[in-house]
Amino acid sequence: MGFLLYFINNILSQPIFILGLVVVIGMLAQHQPGSKILPSTLKAVIGFTMINVGGQTLGTALLPLQQLIAHIFHMHAPASSNIGATQVASLTDIGTDMALIFACGFVINLLLARFTPLKFVHLSPHVSFFFAGLIAALLKFGTDLNFPVRVAVGSVLLGLYMTLSCAYVNLLIKPVRGADGFTLAHSSSSGLLVASLLGKFLGNKDHDLEDLKLPGKLNFLRDMTVALTLVMMLLFLILGLVAGPGFTMSKVAAGKGTVVFAITKGIEFGTWITVILAGVRMMLAEIIPAFHGIAQRLIPNAKPGLDIPLLFPQYPTSVIVGFLMSLTTGIVGMLILAAAHYPIIVFPALIPTFFTGAATAIFGDAHGGRRGAILGSGANGFILIFGQALLLPMVGTYAPIMRILSETDYCVYGPLLGGLLKIMHLN
């Protein structure tokens, strides 16, 4: 058991090994020589690492905004500067359950893809790993089920989630540009459904957000890196000034002036966006052709589920609008909960707000143009904040990491599962 847990926690839970193995198996199925397999595998995992490290560091760069927003509204933001330490502490009581649910859930996803019409392989292990933790926490703290039963039930739930979320996102992704050959395996899937429906019924597909006309002198803003860098500079500057230059300098900026702090943070954000975009190009060039071998020989007609940043290059404006809209409605939701004297302090989790806000705006735009992007990402911000409020009392010691990483599916399916377990009186 010790070796199995070590293998799961240190190898299977590392996305680069999963993706590397997919490339190797896919290219072997196509009878490619080793001289092609090795460089393709390395390029795929390097590309993914650029996306993953870029996303994590970009998310960490957003965390000072929490302190500024909390100070502006006279609230106490949850401590979240050290994500790694928070993650380790959150896994103390559920680590074994989580690891086994993750491994067995992935096997169930593969079996469903091989033997049912749901031909989707979930290839975002970092997403399913934390979702396994959510399921483990709900079963551990919300029921009296014994360890083997928790693992069995949790594995089935995770395998179904990995398969079904890819399946219904695949139905929604058809009008999305740049999504040929894959679906999404991301924990914003429920938000994507909401955004797509809002866009379809309340939006206007003829007015694409990405076709927004700019004066000739502002055409440089069509470059995603430039636009996001400037937007983040402006956001940090405005919030820093509103929070007060003295507070910003002493408590947030480590002695830097507000203007210097805003400029450096904006450039930092732009740097990691550039890394992500470069990783997207490198990974897609290798993973899609390699997966054709798996789809042809091992899991017929299979489709890979990949991460949301792969769509960013096609929707630069939607990424910006989605983040800002989700952040705005998240702050509104936070103030509503505070005014209602909700017993738990709930604060917008900025890393999920950026990525799920971008994702819902992309799908809202694809289905309903500008109005769809705004409505979809705005609804996403409310789901994140109110869903987190319902989720936190249910997950025990897993709550600290959920305050940082609770994306839309955590905030929708978590409370639903927790409520169902309560109704079933398993405790």
Side-chain angles (χ1 to χ4, degrees), residues 317-327 353-354 357-358 360-361 373 377-378:
T317 308
S318 297
V319 170
I320 298 169
V321 170
F323 169 57
L324 295 178
M325 278 302 303
S326 285
L327 178 61
T353 297
F354 177 78
T360 49
S377 55

Side-chain angles (χ1 to χ4, degrees), residues 71-191:
H71 182 73
I72 290 169
F73 292 103
H74 306 289
M75 300 182 70
H76 177 70
S80 55
S81 57
N82 192 331
I83 296 177
T86 304
Q87 177 183 338
V88 171
S90 296
L91 301 187
T92 302
D93 294 329
I94 63 164
T96 303
D97 294 52
M98 178 180 180
L100 292 175
I101 288 172
F102 166 71
C104 297
F106 183 57
V107 172
I108 290 173
N109 170 233
L110 293 176
L111 292 173
L112 290 172
R114 177 64 180 84
F115 296 108
T116 76
L118 300 172
K119 304 294 184 181
F120 304 100
V121 179
H122 193 290
L123 291 181
S124 293
H126 53 302
V127 170
S128 52
F129 188 69
F130 282 103
F131 206 85
L134 172 66
I135 294 172
L138 290 168
L139 293 172
K140 174 85 171 184
F141 302 111
T143 74
D144 286 331
L145 299 175
N146 60 34
F147 173 70
V149 175
R150 290 199 307 270
V151 171
V153 171
S155 299
V156 171
L157 290 173
L158 181 63
L160 289 172
Y161 167 75
M162 294 168 72
T163 304
L164 294 175
S165 62
C166 286
Y168 66 73
V169 170
N170 186 59
L171 298 176
L172 305 172
I173 205 170
K174 292 178 181 178
V176 177
R177 295 187 296 275
D180 297 331
F182 64 91
T183 183
L184 289 184
H186 190 256
S187 43
S188 62
S189 65
S190 54

Side-chain angles (χ1 to χ4, degrees), residues 23-33 286 288-294 296-297:
V23 175
V24 170
I25 293 174
M27 296 191 74
L28 285 174
Q30 297 176 67
H31 305 293
Q32 296 289 345
E286 307 302 333
I288 299 298
F291 198 82
H292 286 162
I294 293 175
Q296 290 170 359
R297 298 179 178 273

Side-chain angles (χ1 to χ4, degrees), residues 363-396:
F363 275 69
D365 181 62
H367 288 270
R370 301 169 195 169
R371 196 182 307 152
I374 292 170
L375 291 174
S377 55
N380 181 72
F382 283 123
I383 293 171
L384 288 175
I385 201 73
F386 292 123
Q388 187 187 160
L390 295 173
L391 176 66
L392 292 177
M394 299 179 175
V395 291

Side-chain angles (χ1 to χ4, degrees), residues 206-222 317 321 365 370:
D206 293 332
H207 297 105
D208 194 308
L209 183 60
E210 300 303 325
D211 293 336
L212 193 63
K213 293 183 179 179
L214 296 173
K217 293 181 180 180
L218 296 179
N219 272 336
F220 65 87
L221 291 176
R222 295 191 180 281
T317 308
V321 170
D365 181 62
R370 301 169 195 169

